[in-house]
Structures are given as structure tokens and as C-alpha cells.
Amino acid sequence: MSCYIRHMKEFLGEIGINPGSKEERKEVDLAVRRAIGRDASDRCNEVWREVKIWLQDEDKNRELSLKLEKEFN
């Protein structure tokens, strides 16, 4: 499900997303997957591999931030 969300804690906190419960983490997981173009059925480690690329690339990082902010704020 959301094996990588814990690694995104700082990134998510910077945009005002602080999932506390299992349900909230699942919502964030699905939103991240949609934002980067991955499917809910994709394996967690595959999604995390792609997320790391997005977090390290300045333009993709900004795009991911904007997509998640729009969905949660």
C-alpha cells in the first residue's frame, strides 16, 4: 500500500499534508500514484522508485507538489 509514504514525510509536511491514520496514508498513496501516472495495482517498490525520481528533479518535484496541494488543500 503506502510503504514509501514514511520516506516522504518531510516533502509532504512542506505542502501541508500530514497523514496520520492508515486511511489517510492510503489516500495520499493513491494521490501520489495518480500524480506520477502510476496505477493502484503497481507494486509499492516500483512506485517508490518513480517517486524518488520525481523528488530529485526540480520541475517534477514542483509538479508533484502542485498536484498534491490541489488535491488536498
Side-chain angles (χ1 to χ4, degrees):
M1 173 178 61
S2 55
C3 64
Y4 58 88
I5 297 297
R6 61 192 159 103
H7 299 296
M8 295 181 68
K9 191 173 188 172
E10 183 178 338
F11 170 81
L12 293 170
E14 289 174 1
I15 57 175
I17 300 172
N18 299 296
S21 68
K22 184 176 182 177
E23 292 78 20
E24 290 172 340
R25 287 189 300 275
K26 182 63 178 174
E27 287 179 41
V28 172
D29 171 48
L30 293 174
V32 168
R33 289 168 184 261
R34 284 190 297 273
I36 66 169
R38 298 303 293 240
D39 192 70
S41 63
D42 290 336
R43 294 176 49 115
C44 187
N45 62 334
E46 295 168 358
V47 175
W48 175 231
R49 191 175 306 121
E50 182 73 19
V51 168
K52 286 191 287 188
I53 293 169
W54 280 66
L55 293 175
Q56 294 170 356
D57 180 279
E58 187 177 324
D59 292 332
K60 288 184 178 204
N61 185 302
R62 189 176 316 110
E63 181 181 346
L64 180 59
S65 295
L66 292 173
K67 287 180 176 183
L68 293 176
E69 285 176 331
K70 184 176 181 180
E71 189 155 344
F72 287 99
N73 296 325

